[in-house]
């Protein structure tokens, strides 16, 4: 940027990059742009730290996407998973190495923002963005975007990154299109030390009663995060599933400190990721894993990419160059995260029809458990696994073509795919902490 332009920018308070939203996606974008030496402002409508409905699982791809020197504030380290099929056919599988870690989102998000601030980004909380404008009287030139706050204040930027969550105003400006919306319900349940000890180092995943649904228990010290997720439109059934799930775990007598709900939204394949000098990432772009609805790793990875390409857009001197950089960002997202999402959609479609088969495979078929373990540890991704293993590719295609099997039970599925011998160190039993953990 020339000296003349720098002087004009100082007078008009033009930021190189304005990031809307201070979650993992926004903090990652801000860090990436600030590390590149750009003038970065993060706008967050809430005061930090703030609660977010989220299991808080940090898998390998999330860990590998964190800024250098970032120390994860783990509340627990998981090396065992108990699987159940709607409360039945319980089995625990164990790993010698940690599978993934568990964090509290307020603490994790705050720490990510602090890393962005140390890199040079500025944070402004209590700032609600009403809209962005790329044309009109509020925009002084074609290289500038106007960010209009509630109350009428206008900020100017060379590039804007929308990371303002699944109900994103910036996503609406870009024209993000969604084709999968799910409802997650969650309770944070404080428990006595004796109960907490039963769950230490182990999570529970329960395949639920509605197509595509599942529940989880994530231990975090003296609190258990218990949640369920299913397709939107099944609100009453989803609430009933959570209540029954908590009841059969023996946790109904403990009062939750927080009960919350959240909609997760998955992008359509042809959904845009940019408009002019505005990019979207994370939940605002509908980027998450469709089967598990895991979003933290997608937020961190897409946020970093958005921050890096926002720097290039900020440097673009005309609309053609800005468009080229935005297309490069979209290509980078689709080549990595897009491939994983495509495989995840196929996995969800199969899981909706044949949950018993998934349960039998993960609990009785060693290669399936090994794949789960390697994905959570960050040694591979779902996309890489299918791309590099022809057997996995053929198996997925064959299962996707198979007709639904409504009469299938977990017993018949287990008979199809279970190994003859149960590997050492695995247990069967109920889904409560005492029986399933040995």
């Amino acid at each position: 940027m020339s000296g003349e332009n720098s002087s004009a920018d100082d007078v008009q308070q033009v930021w190189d990059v304005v990031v809307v939203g201070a979650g993992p996606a926004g903090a990652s974008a801000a860090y990436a742009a600030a590390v590149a030496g750009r003038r970065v402002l993060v706008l967050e409508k809430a005061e930090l730290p703030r609660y977010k409905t989220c299991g808080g699982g940090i898998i390998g791809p999330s860990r590998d996407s964190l800024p250098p020197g970032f120390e994860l504030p783990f509340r627990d380290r998981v090396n065992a998973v108990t699987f159940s099929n709607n409360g039945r056919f319980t089995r625990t599988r164990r790993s010698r190495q940690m599978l993934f870690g568990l964090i509290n989102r307020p603490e994790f998000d705050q720490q990510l923002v602090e890393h962005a601030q140390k890199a040079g980004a500025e944070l402004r909380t209590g700032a609600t963005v009403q809209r962005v404008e790329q044309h009109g009287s509020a925009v002084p030139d074609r290289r500038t975007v106007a960010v209009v706050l509630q109350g009428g204040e206008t900020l100017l930027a060379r590039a804007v990154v929308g990371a303002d969550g699944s109900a994103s105003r910036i996503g609406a400006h870009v024209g993000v299109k969604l084709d999968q919306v799910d409802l997650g319900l969650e309770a944070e349940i404080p428990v006595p030390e004796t109960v907490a000890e039963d769950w230490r180092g182990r999570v529970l995943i329960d395949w639920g009663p509605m197509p595509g649904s599942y529940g989880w228990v994530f231990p975090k010290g003296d609190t258990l995060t218990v949640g369920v997720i299913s397709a939107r439109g099944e609100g009453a059934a989803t609430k009933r599933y959570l209540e029954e799930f908590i009841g059969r775990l023996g946790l109904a007598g403990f009062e939750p400190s927080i009960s919350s709900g959240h909609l997760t939204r998955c992008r359509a394949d042809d959904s845009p990721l940019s408009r002019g000098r505005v990019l979207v990432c994370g939940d605002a772009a509908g980027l998450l894993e469709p089967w598990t609805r895991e979003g933290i790793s997608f937020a961190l990875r897409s946020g970093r990419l958005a921050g890096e390409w926002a720097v290039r857009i900020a440097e673009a001197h005309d609309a053609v160059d800005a468009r080229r950089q935005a297309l490069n960002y979209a290509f980078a997202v689709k080549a990595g995260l897009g491939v994983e999402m495509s495989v995840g959609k196929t996995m969800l479609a199969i899981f909706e029809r044949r949950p018993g088969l998934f349960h039998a495979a993960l609990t009785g078929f060693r290669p399936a458990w090994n794949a789960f373990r390697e994905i959570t540890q960050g040694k591979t991704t779902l996309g890489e696994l299918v791309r590099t293993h022809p057997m996995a590719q053929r198996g997925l295609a064959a299962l996707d073509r198979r007709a639904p099997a409504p009469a299938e039970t977990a017993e018949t599925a287990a008979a199809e795919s279970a190994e003859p011998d149960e590997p050492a160190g695995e247990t069967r039993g109920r889904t409560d902490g005492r029986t399933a953990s040995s």
Side-chain angles (χ1 to χ4, degrees):
M1 194 179 288
S2 70
E4 181 181 340
N5 283 341
S6 296
S7 174
D9 284 355
D10 289 340
V11 170
Q12 298 176 57
Q13 295 293 303
V14 179
W15 297 87
D16 291 318
V17 178
V18 166
V19 178
V20 183
S28 292
Y31 177 85
V35 154
R38 298 303 179 270
R39 230 178 136 212
V40 180
L41 175 66
V42 181
L43 300 173
E44 168 58 47
K45 65 181 178 182
E47 296 297 331
L48 298 179
R50 45 88 179 109
Y51 182 78
K52 174 84 163 65
T53 305
C54 176
I58 300 295
I59 59 175
S62 300
R63 184 196 61 233
D64 296 342
S65 301
L66 293 166
F70 189 95
E71 290 189 20
L72 279 158
F74 284 145
R75 292 303 179 99
D76 203 347
R77 290 169 167 80
V78 175
N79 57 20
V81 182
T82 298
F83 294 100
S84 61
N85 193 347
N86 200 19
R88 302 178 300 158
F89 315 111
T90 304
R91 188 166 178 184
T92 297
R93 302 209 69 157
R94 302 181 183 280
S95 170
R96 290 184 182 88
Q97 295 177 310
M98 185 179 85
L99 293 166
F100 55 93
L102 300 173
I103 51 90
N104 281 337
R105 279 291 302 276
E107 193 177 5
F108 177 67
D109 291 9
Q110 174 81 32
Q111 204 168 308
L112 280 171
V113 169
E114 287 171 0
H115 258 70
Q117 288 176 290
K118 286 174 189 172
E122 292 188 34
L123 171 67
R124 183 168 165 185
T125 58
T128 300
V129 174
Q130 276 200 326
R131 65 185 184 277
V132 292
E133 296 179 6
Q134 302 196 62
H135 307 283
S137 58
V139 183
D141 58 59
R142 292 182 181 179
R143 287 190 61 210
T144 309
V145 181
V147 181
V148 183
L149 304 183
Q150 200 170 59
E153 183 185 355
T154 298
L155 304 171
L156 301 178
R158 296 294 183 213
V160 171
V161 175
D164 49 334
S166 60
S168 169
R169 288 180 183 268
I170 311 302
H173 172 80
V174 166
V176 171
K177 293 186 285 184
L178 308 162
D179 71 358
Q180 178 187 327
V181 183
D182 297 287
L183 170 64
L185 300 177
E186 196 168 73
E188 301 284 350
I189 305 178
V191 293
E193 174 59 26
T194 51
V195 177
E197 184 59 36
D198 282 338
W199 286 98
R200 199 152 288 139
R202 179 178 64 90
V203 301
L204 169 66
I205 297 175
D206 177 71
W207 314 118
M210 296 91 75
S213 66
Y214 76 95
W216 61 88
V217 179
F218 284 1
K220 298 171 185 174
D222 59 359
T223 298
L224 300 179
T225 297
V226 183
V228 300
I229 195 162
S230 67
R232 184 177 67 171
E234 298 278 351
T238 306
K239 186 178 179 184
R240 189 163 57 250
Y241 174 32
L242 179 61
E243 289 170 352
E244 291 173 356
F245 186 43
I246 289 173
R248 69 171 178 252
L249 290 167
L251 300 173
F254 302 115
E255 187 67 27
S257 58
I258 299 174
S259 294
S260 63
H262 179 65
L263 290 176
T264 65
R265 297 173 167 90
C266 249
R267 69 187 294 274
D269 288 339
D270 61 345
S271 179
L273 290 161
S274 68
R275 178 179 172 186
R277 290 175 174 267
V278 179
L279 305 177
V280 284
C281 60
D283 284 345
L287 292 166
L288 71 156
E289 204 286 301
W291 175 35
T292 63
R293 289 79 153 188
E294 189 277 323
I296 295 177
S297 77
F298 279 70
L300 292 169
R301 290 181 285 173
S302 65
R304 187 186 69 237
L305 289 170
E308 291 169 354
W309 290 106
V311 167
R312 294 173 172 88
I313 289 171
E315 293 168 347
H317 286 278
D318 56 46
V320 173
D321 192 19
R323 176 65 177 157
R324 185 185 303 118
Q325 304 304 338
L327 286 172
N328 286 337
Y329 166 67
F331 177 80
V333 169
K334 291 173 184 176
L337 300 178
V339 171
E340 291 180 41
M341 289 185 72
S342 178
V343 176
K345 284 180 181 179
T346 302
M347 296 285 281
L348 177 63
I350 300 166
F351 173 64
E352 286 175 339
R353 300 198 307 263
R354 300 174 67 88
L357 185 64
F358 269 78
H359 181 69
L362 281 166
T363 58
F365 185 51
R366 202 184 302 266
W369 165 249
N370 288 341
F372 177 92
R373 180 171 49 79
E374 290 183 3
I375 288 168
T376 58
Q377 289 173 336
K379 294 175 181 176
T380 187
T381 66
L382 202 52
E384 283 174 6
L385 199 68
V386 172
R387 184 172 53 81
T388 58
H389 289 70
M391 187 184 294
Q393 211 169 51
R394 287 196 298 270
L396 203 60
L399 282 169
D400 199 27
R401 286 195 300 270
R402 286 182 68 168
E408 181 189 71
T409 65
E411 295 103 319
T412 59
E416 290 178 11
S417 65
E419 292 181 323
D421 296 317
E422 182 175 309
E426 295 163 11
T427 56
R428 299 176 188 273
R430 301 196 314 262
T431 55
D432 69 281
R434 291 173 298 281
T435 306
S437 177
S438 66

